[in-house]
Every structure is written in C-alpha cells, then in structure tokens.
Amino acid sequence: MSRKRVTRGAACCAAALLILPACSSDGDGKDKVEDRTSGTSSADTGDGGQEGNGVGDLSAREISDKAKRELLDAKSVHISMRATGADATKDTDSDSDGDSDSDSDSDDMASMELTLDRDDNCVGSMKMANGAALDLVKRGDKVWMKPNRAFWKTQVPGGEGEAAAEIFKNRYIHGSTSDTMLKEVTGICDLGKIQKDIQDDTDDESKSLAKGEPTTVDGTGAIPLTGKDDGKETTLYVATEGKPYLLKAVEKGDGDDTTTTFSDYDKPVPSKTPSPDESVDVSKLQDQLQKI
C-alpha cells in the first residue's frame, strides 16, 4: 500500500460519490419510477409525521439538483466512508504487522472520518484494509499527521519501519504544506476543490435516477434515488426534513461496497490542534528517512 493509496484512494471514493449523477427521464418526461408521494401534502412525505421540506413531491431530477446545490453551497461538512471489496484491499503489502492478515479478503474494510471546510481546514482519520491508519489535523498551512505502527511498517522497508514506528509512536508529525509529504496527505482537506469537481462534472453518459419508497437515515426522513453507472448500483438518500441535504450514498458492484454518509453541514471544523508535547517536527522524520 502506497501513501497515495491511503490518502487519494479515500478522497476519490468520497469525491466520486459527492458528484451526483445527472438524472434522465423516459420519453414522456416522467421519472422511470412513479412518485409514490404524489397527491399528498409536503408535511406527509414519509418522514415519520415530521414537517417535510416538499422534496417528496418533486421528480428525481429536481431532488438530485437540490441536493447537489446544497453540497455546492456548504461551508463545511463531515464525511464518513466505509468500503469493502477490491478497492479496500488493493495494494496492501504482505509484510504488514500482526494487526492484519497478509491475505486480505473481501470482508476487509477501509474507512475514513473527515470534517473539512472551504478554507482547507480538516480533522479526521483514515484506515486501510491492511490496518495501516493515520490521524490528520490541518489548520491553515499547518499540518499534524499521526500514523499508526502498521502505517510505518508498510511505508518504510525492512526493520527501519519498526524503528520509525517506535521513534514516532503516539506522536504527530508536525509541519506545513510546504513539506511535500504533508502536502500530499492533506490533498483531501479541500472542500472547495471537491465542490469545483462537482460543479465542473461534464459526464454525458446516459444515467438515470428513480425515486424509491420514503425511509429514514439516522432518524431523518429521506427519499432514496437509485440508478446504475458503469455497471454499479448507486443509491442516494436525500433529506425530506429541513434542507434537502445528501445524507448517504451507497455504491455496489464489481465486488465493491462503499457507503458514504454526510452530516454536520456548515458546522465549523474543530479548531483544537495537537500540543507541542504530542508532536515531532517533520525535519526529524526526514532525518530518519535519510538514514534508511
């Protein structure tokens, strides 16, 4: 597993699901699945009796457009991702430590928890299926990264990985985005970049979304929009209470299963940063790597 795989792999999974598919309709302009809530009031859209926001009465295209607009307007958001299958286990190294098996199977899981904003601040954690993981804090151009032992052993060859794990154990590597390594890791922290990718998406492939039965996501009323893209089944859950936020996206196919949830829209990224006692300057890491 490469460092790029840890960071960019997680970011790509999240960003790909953030880009809502365009919604096509059949020849007469109606959605492929009838709106089962037509004829009901906006307060009765399958949201458990709570006051609805009216999206249950809209077409799948209109609902997806509203959810996309909320993502584009968000100042910050929390993303939680869980992935199993080939994408989660690909590129893992056979010499990882005892925290994981060398032969990862399809049930191994990669995960990410990340709160990020338009100012390029973020707080979060990532874990790959082979057990390699890191915690990340970014505030302005300042970066703190705390890898676990499995991360060091898969990134640094031979016994030097074990040595690095011991030297930097339970401490953050601290530096700035001027350092190449730290800058690469923090590439996932820019909500503005993700939003630009959403805005600039020009995929003209024939895609469709169809409305499903009203349901709930973590206690919030939601309407599912289902469709297929490149052979994978995708379901987007859009809130029918409050603002029409995208609450969850599920993608299945080709042996992969990825679930991404979105919450805490517009809530500030936590501003607390690790103390000097918890940190080691990145220059010490660079000195250690030069000895290898």
Side-chain angles (χ1 to χ4, degrees), residues 15-111:
L17 287 168
L18 277 164
I19 301 173
L20 299 181
C23 176
S24 65
S25 56
D26 53 18
D28 60 4
K30 296 180 181 178
D31 293 310
K32 293 187 176 182
V33 172
E34 249 180 63
D35 182 356
R36 298 179 177 87
T37 62
S38 60
T40 64
S41 68
S42 62
D44 184 18
T45 55
D47 54 15
Q50 300 183 50
E51 185 176 355
N53 56 19
V55 298
D57 297 325
L58 303 178
S59 69
R61 177 187 291 275
E62 291 170 324
I63 296 171
S64 66
D65 284 348
K66 282 184 174 291
K68 180 176 180 178
R69 175 46 54 190
E70 293 298 338
L71 278 172
L72 291 174
D73 290 344
K75 295 181 177 66
S76 60
V77 68
H78 178 81
I79 300 173
S80 178
M81 186 200 73
R82 300 289 184 272
T84 58
D87 282 346
T89 59
K90 196 179 297 181
D91 293 345
T92 56
D93 292 351
S94 60
D95 62 345
S96 58
D97 66 7
D99 293 340
S100 62
D101 296 329
S102 60
D103 295 320
S104 298
D105 60 34
S106 61
D107 292 330
D108 288 339
M109 182 176 69
S111 63

Side-chain angles (χ1 to χ4, degrees), residues 228-241:
K228 281 192 174 183
D229 181 23
D230 292 334
K232 292 190 175 184
E233 295 182 0
T234 300
T235 304
L236 308 174
Y237 296 84
V238 178
T240 55
E241 305 171 31

Side-chain angles (χ1 to χ4, degrees), residues 177-191:
T177 52
S178 61
D179 177 80
T180 302
M181 177 183 177
L182 295 179
K183 183 177 182 178
E184 179 181 280
V185 172
T186 59
I188 65 171
C189 289
D190 190 352
L191 178 59

Side-chain angles (χ1 to χ4, degrees), residues 83-181:
T84 58
D87 282 346
T89 59
K90 196 179 297 181
D91 293 345
T92 56
D93 292 351
S94 60
D95 62 345
S96 58
D97 66 7
D99 293 340
S100 62
D101 296 329
S102 60
D103 295 320
S104 298
D105 60 34
S106 61
D107 292 330
D108 288 339
M109 182 176 69
S111 63
M112 178 180 73
E113 296 288 341
L114 188 69
T115 302
L116 66 166
D117 65 19
R118 287 183 181 179
D119 295 325
D120 212 2
N121 301 311
C122 76
V123 174
S125 61
M126 287 161 281
K127 182 179 179 180
M128 297 307 293
N130 69 345
L134 61 84
D135 294 332
L136 180 66
V137 178
K138 183 178 183 296
R139 200 75 193 170
D141 65 348
K142 304 301 182 184
V143 183
W144 293 260
M145 178 185 74
K146 183 167 71 172
N148 70 351
R149 182 175 295 275
F151 181 96
W152 290 118
K153 292 186 69 175
T154 57
Q155 294 305 301
V156 183
E160 296 298 337
E162 185 68 39
E166 189 62 31
I167 292 171
F168 303 109
K169 179 174 61 177
N170 296 326
R171 290 190 289 179
Y172 287 86
I173 304 301
H174 174 48
S176 72
T177 52
S178 61
D179 177 80
T180 302
M181 177 183 177

